[in-house]
Amino acid sequence: MPTYVRTDKCDGCKGQDKTACMYICPHDLMMLDKDGSQTGHAMKAWNQEPEQCWECYSCVKICPQNAIEVRHYADIVPMGASVQPMRGSDSILWTIKFRNGTMKRFKFPIRTTPEGSADPYGGKPKADMADLDRHDVMFTKSTHAGDRSQFVAS
């Protein structure tokens, strides 16, 4: 089910040109209604095409005011229940509210390495662009990464 913005909580990211939810949405669905002509609520974010929402929770997690929620499917979150994440600098706290009023909280780290320290190419040989023209570049085993004669074609 799609996200929706609680206008009583949204502050339009304090009048910036681009809100946090606009920045993070992978499908570019979130918009800022600067003058209120689209939604009747000036300086509030809104989901311009709810049926296109990927339900990735990116906007929900990044919203500094916790103003974005998701309408959940009834089989996962029955009427009266809610699931709300709150992002911190090092973790995400998920608050689950059940229909009977019981609440549970789960905290998960955001990452396992300091920001900017991941090296995706560490320990891997440098790519040779000339290999793109070779028909045997798909291989399953190499005894020595620098010696092309040792590749075993798959």
Side-chain angles (χ1 to χ4, degrees):
M1 301 300 279
T3 61
Y4 65 96
V5 178
R6 298 216 18 213
T7 55
D8 59 323
K9 289 183 170 184
C10 179
D11 66 357
C13 287
K14 308 222 186 305
Q16 303 285 331
D17 286 336
K18 198 169 190 178
T19 64
C21 58
M22 289 169 65
Y23 169 77
I24 201 75
C25 181
H27 204 48
D28 293 328
L29 297 178
M30 303 307 288
M31 300 295 289
L32 177 63
D33 190 359
K34 291 186 178 186
D35 60 4
S37 62
Q38 299 288 323
T39 64
H41 302 282
M43 292 309 294
K44 306 288 183 181
W46 61 292
N47 185 339
Q48 65 179 335
E49 294 191 46
E51 68 279 358
Q52 296 295 320
C53 181
W54 295 353
E55 302 166 32
C56 67
Y57 272 83
S58 293
C59 62
V60 177
K61 290 185 274 188
I62 203 169
C63 181
Q65 301 300 322
N66 293 322
I68 303 175
E69 296 182 8
V70 177
R71 290 183 184 97
H72 299 282
Y73 292 104
D75 58 343
I76 297 172
V77 182
M79 295 294 286
S82 67
V83 177
Q84 187 67 32
M86 183 183 299
R87 183 184 170 97
S89 60
D90 63 344
S91 61
I92 295 179
L93 177 69
W94 291 86
T95 301
I96 315 297
K97 181 181 170 193
F98 296 92
R99 286 175 25 172
N100 65 4
T102 304
M103 288 183 43
K104 293 201 180 240
R105 290 189 168 91
F106 304 93
K107 187 175 182 179
F108 298 97
I110 291 175
R111 56 185 320 118
T112 56
T113 59
E115 188 170 342
S117 68
D119 182 11
Y121 302 109
K124 295 183 173 72
K126 186 162 174 69
D128 184 358
M129 298 308 284
D131 282 344
L132 292 176
D133 294 328
R134 293 183 47 202
H135 296 289
D136 64 338
V137 291
M138 295 300 290
F139 54 88
T140 57
K141 180 179 171 183
S142 169
T143 56
H144 186 274
D147 183 2
R148 299 204 193 310
S149 65
Q150 307 259 337
F151 289 143
V152 178
S154 58

